[in-house]
Amino acid sequence: MIQVNGLEKSFDGFAALRGVDMHVKKGAIYGLVGPNGAGKSTLMRHITGVYRADAGEVRVDGQVVYENREVKARMAYIPDDLFYFMQADTMEMKRFYEGIYPDFDGKLFYRMQEFFPNIDVKRNIRRLSKGMQKQVAFWLAICAKPSVLILDEPVDGLDPVMRRQIWSIIMSEVAENEMTVLVSSHNLRELEDVCDHVGIMHHGKVIIERSLSDLQGSVSKIQIACPNGIPKLPENFEVLHMSNTGRVYTMIVKGDPKEAEAALAVCTPTIVDVLPLTLEEIFIYEMGGADYEVKDILF
Amino acid sequence: MKSKTSCFNWTIFKKNVTHYWPIWMLYLAYLLMTMPVTVWQMSTVEYSKEIDKLSRMYNVMQTVVRGEIFPYPTFIISAVAALAVFSYLYSAKSANMIHALPVNRLELYITNYLSGLAFLIIPQIIAFLATVIVCLMNEITCIQYLFYGTLAQMGTAFFAYSLAVFVAMFTGQTFAMPFYFVIVNYLYVGCMYLVSEIIVLLTYGVVNAWNPGKSCILSPLYYLGNNLRCETVYDEATNTVTGVQIHGMYLVGIYAVAAAVLIAAAYQLYKRRQIETAGDWVSISIVKPVFRWGAALCGGVLLAIAFTSLVSSACSVSIYPCVLFFMAVMGFLCFFAAEMLLEKNFRVFKKRRLLEWVGFTAAAMCFITMFELDVFGIEKRIPAEDEIEAAFVNMDYPLQVAPEDIPTLLAMHEQTVEHKKEYQQSEKQGEGFYYTTFRYYLKDGTMLERRYPLPVAEQYITDETTPTGWILTLECRPENLMQNMFGVDYGENDYVSGQIDLYNEQGDVNNYGLDKEELSRILSALEQDVREGHFESGFYSVHQGNTVEYYNSISLDYYSPIGDNDNWTYYYMYRSFMKDEDVYMGRAYRNNTYLSFGPECTNLIRTLEELGITDDTWHLYTYDEYETLNQEIMVSQ
């Protein structure tokens, strides 16, 4: 659904995107993660047709997005920093979106009002709290009936109940209408619950792009205690990280977890436990491999 | 639902109209006040009803149309409207939101452009219709002028708004846009003024290196402000108002064509605009060096001129090194201030920029030095005799040099240039010198003027081969003196009244009014005195140390066929005189001359006695005598 090929962008000589390649399938919920300054928001602004690329292209449903009204009419974007017109209330913004988005569903807007009971639709949006403003953004975006929803830090500022509410609405849209969702967030625990694909960005590039299950299947955490000290692993396993507490060693290993367990059985361990990694752990260890590790700081 | 190929978006248009209503409401209120309300007010004022109905009608219309075509409010509202409708480009949040919507830039541009234009044009139409109604209700039927005025106003608004939109595309900063708009409107005039001021500062004799002409069309607000005007048409024979005329309508046409170009150019800029430049002072990257260098050059020259003038007036310093020093310092400040704005950072003193500044300073120094060395020959420029249409020289008073004297005048001018150091020295030391102007109206329609400090020491005054001596001789010629006293065509004057101040021994004053007969005789006596050399140039006499003048003076009122025939007016507005343009109201202009005279004017004194104007009671007193008389009166009191 979304294809990004060799995308490059520089700001006053600073290369923010260095040949990004990314592919999001139709109906997928794609989590875009990466450290601060990796270029996630810049990439999203290219995908939504805001920025013009220096090189490369962004296609949605096979069509170039930039300056393409037809494609953009099927996309909705909720940025991290929202903008509403001065003195506009929710109803006015609804009328604006209704005029702009050809598929805007006015009836759905009223049906969804029950999901947002705290929003006073006659109140100036700029006077609503940040979380409420975000709710309005979701409300309007969903009513625009997009085939592609782009979310930049979507639930930032929302309370836990509203987070659940919003995700449940999104999931149902994905399930019912095969909506494609591209979401960027630093809340990896939450992404792990909703995403089926993940892309990790670093230094203006997507360094890893896989389904979440593949990603979790390729890295595992092994806790092992051997009578002979440090366990020896076959050479085809890449140990990303290793630490120990007494005789118990914890290793982050790249490779098939089952094969790893079988290989370690040779060491006759007293304890061996192979655990799947959380997305947050995968991110931390993968970024460690890309020179972005958590440093041990000594004061 | 909008069409897929539409270039106009009603939703955005409605949003603009409803969100920015204070702008068009304010403009509408202004127009209503200056148009229908003014008509109504002027029509109901009592005294207006007393004057001729046609004159009243044209006067009302002239006042309304003059207010209507006054360009400044239109330019201000145009800038505000452009700023409002394109304000989304000036914040990253709004720019991202708007450009993520399913509208392309052409649609955004056209919709926003038309929204802003509607803020101007619709109030103008409403005000026009309202004024028509008020006019007809008050029996003012010459509404065609109102229509022409509205057309001029719409053309001005079309241009001003298009220019504002064009300027709006150059920046990503709300505060920068109005600043740029003002600069663009005065850029040409401002730059020419600065160059001219530098030339004046550094070049010997140059008083005014630039005369604003038609090229000022490049400074739109300045040019429209000076050339788009509305006047009533007078019939000189009957001295009545016969209509209203709008001058400069063709200018509105020219600017409207320019507006069309600006609209296309602004769209091209918008199309190429990088949205991430929201918040930047300059959003077009290739313009950034222009901004930096322009700020350094204009700011540097302006401040250098100001500081040099301050310093040179406070102490005796050489102008050239002073200008160079301040140019380097002020250029540095302006260059890096501009860079700070561009970078939004105070730490801009990087090697590359410092080198750029060095380059700039070297270029600026060369630029200034060229004028100091008179590379362009400005200082030495003396027109050839066949280039000259008319020549004037102005020491004590302006006088036109007779064609046969022009070769001598040119030789004197050349001598003045050659004696630059000598004359500048006397000026610097504050010794006797007199600023003297050489003004040439050239056949190509331009004017060349030079002003020099001519020394007035005895050896210069008495030597007719020096410029000072020669000019003083010219000043003493009866013909020139007569023109100075009674105007350039004094032979055609129709004297209508006159008055002389007389004093008695008690210090009382008698403002004696002269009748036609007395006027005629006094004028003949005055002319006789002039021809006999009894009226000499004031300065010449002062320097000879023999000036004794009466405290009494004569005042004469007269009409001239050419209106204001004063020789100063003739000197400054020679071209208008040659085009036979009425300087002030044609024959209706009443001239007045005020004459001082002394005991040397024997013909005049004798005539006054013969007419019985001066007698045993009423006397003429010299300044010294009058002072003595006053002292005696005070003592006796």
Side-chain angles (χ1 to χ4, degrees), chain B residues 28 42 63 449 453 590 593 605:
Chain B
L28 179 62
M42 288 184 76
T63 307
E449 190 176 47
R590 192 182 174 109
T593 186
I605 294 162

PDB file of all heavy atoms in Angstrom, chain B residues 28 42 63 449 453 590 593 605:
ATOM      1  N   LEU B  28     -14.198  47.779   4.885  1.00  0.00           N
ATOM      2  CA  LEU B  28     -15.517  48.266   4.463  1.00  0.00           C
ATOM      3  C   LEU B  28     -15.903  49.506   5.278  1.00  0.00           C
ATOM      4  O   LEU B  28     -16.390  50.505   4.727  1.00  0.00           O
ATOM      5  CB  LEU B  28     -16.567  47.159   4.631  1.00  0.00           C
ATOM      6  CG  LEU B  28     -17.993  47.519   4.254  1.00  0.00           C
ATOM      7  CD1 LEU B  28     -18.097  47.893   2.780  1.00  0.00           C
ATOM      8  CD2 LEU B  28     -18.951  46.366   4.547  1.00  0.00           C
ATOM      9  N   MET B  42     -20.814  66.282   3.425  1.00  0.00           N
ATOM     10  CA  MET B  42     -20.543  67.493   2.637  1.00  0.00           C
ATOM     11  C   MET B  42     -21.816  68.060   2.030  1.00  0.00           C
ATOM     12  O   MET B  42     -21.938  69.274   1.850  1.00  0.00           O
ATOM     13  CB  MET B  42     -19.536  67.188   1.524  1.00  0.00           C
ATOM     14  CG  MET B  42     -18.134  66.979   2.056  1.00  0.00           C
ATOM     15  SD  MET B  42     -16.942  66.752   0.747  1.00  0.00           S
ATOM     16  CE  MET B  42     -16.725  68.405   0.136  1.00  0.00           C
ATOM     17  N   THR B  63     -13.485  65.468  -3.590  1.00  0.00           N
ATOM     18  CA  THR B  63     -13.068  65.057  -2.233  1.00  0.00           C
ATOM     19  C   THR B  63     -13.215  63.542  -2.074  1.00  0.00           C
ATOM     20  O   THR B  63     -12.327  62.867  -1.534  1.00  0.00           O
ATOM     21  CB  THR B  63     -13.935  65.780  -1.183  1.00  0.00           C
ATOM     22  OG1 THR B  63     -13.884  67.174  -1.461  1.00  0.00           O
ATOM     23  CG2 THR B  63     -13.459  65.511   0.218  1.00  0.00           C
ATOM     24  N   GLU B 449      22.969  70.058 -11.325  1.00  0.00           N
ATOM     25  CA  GLU B 449      23.122  71.123 -10.322  1.00  0.00           C
ATOM     26  C   GLU B 449      24.391  70.881  -9.510  1.00  0.00           C
ATOM     27  O   GLU B 449      24.663  69.751  -9.108  1.00  0.00           O
ATOM     28  CB  GLU B 449      21.901  71.139  -9.406  1.00  0.00           C
ATOM     29  CG  GLU B 449      21.867  72.347  -8.492  1.00  0.00           C
ATOM     30  CD  GLU B 449      20.587  72.387  -7.662  1.00  0.00           C
ATOM     31  OE1 GLU B 449      20.213  71.347  -7.085  1.00  0.00           O
ATOM     32  OE2 GLU B 449      19.980  73.439  -7.585  1.00  0.00           O
ATOM     33  N   PRO B 453      31.344  76.192  -2.292  1.00  0.00           N
ATOM     34  CA  PRO B 453      31.576  77.278  -1.335  1.00  0.00           C
ATOM     35  C   PRO B 453      32.520  78.319  -1.963  1.00  0.00           C
ATOM     36  O   PRO B 453      33.741  78.155  -1.892  1.00  0.00           O
ATOM     37  CB  PRO B 453      32.224  76.558  -0.149  1.00  0.00           C
ATOM     38  CG  PRO B 453      32.885  75.360  -0.747  1.00  0.00           C
ATOM     39  CD  PRO B 453      32.214  75.031  -2.035  1.00  0.00           C
ATOM     40  N   ARG B 590      -2.094  86.000  -6.671  1.00  0.00           N
ATOM     41  CA  ARG B 590      -1.730  87.384  -6.352  1.00  0.00           C
ATOM     42  C   ARG B 590      -0.291  87.402  -5.830  1.00  0.00           C
ATOM     43  O   ARG B 590       0.011  86.822  -4.786  1.00  0.00           O
ATOM     44  CB  ARG B 590      -2.698  87.894  -5.276  1.00  0.00           C
ATOM     45  CG  ARG B 590      -2.641  89.396  -5.041  1.00  0.00           C
ATOM     46  CD  ARG B 590      -3.622  89.748  -3.917  1.00  0.00           C
ATOM     47  NE  ARG B 590      -3.535  91.135  -3.543  1.00  0.00           N
ATOM     48  CZ  ARG B 590      -4.464  92.040  -3.816  1.00  0.00           C
ATOM     49  NH1 ARG B 590      -5.559  91.674  -4.473  1.00  0.00           N
ATOM     50  NH2 ARG B 590      -4.334  93.288  -3.413  1.00  0.00           N
ATOM     51  N   THR B 593       5.495  91.666  -3.504  1.00  0.00           N
ATOM     52  CA  THR B 593       6.945  91.881  -3.343  1.00  0.00           C
ATOM     53  C   THR B 593       7.168  92.887  -2.214  1.00  0.00           C
ATOM     54  O   THR B 593       6.373  93.811  -1.999  1.00  0.00           O
ATOM     55  CB  THR B 593       7.596  92.351  -4.657  1.00  0.00           C
ATOM     56  OG1 THR B 593       8.994  92.401  -4.483  1.00  0.00           O
ATOM     57  CG2 THR B 593       7.087  93.707  -5.114  1.00  0.00           C
ATOM     58  N   ILE B 605      13.071 108.396  -3.410  1.00  0.00           N
ATOM     59  CA  ILE B 605      12.885 109.321  -2.289  1.00  0.00           C
ATOM     60  C   ILE B 605      12.258 110.630  -2.795  1.00  0.00           C
ATOM     61  O   ILE B 605      11.313 111.151  -2.189  1.00  0.00           O
ATOM     62  CB  ILE B 605      14.232 109.581  -1.576  1.00  0.00           C
ATOM     63  CG1 ILE B 605      14.714 108.275  -0.911  1.00  0.00           C
ATOM     64  CG2 ILE B 605      14.116 110.683  -0.527  1.00  0.00           C
ATOM     65  CD1 ILE B 605      16.167 108.270  -0.559  1.00  0.00           C
TER      66      ILE B 605
END
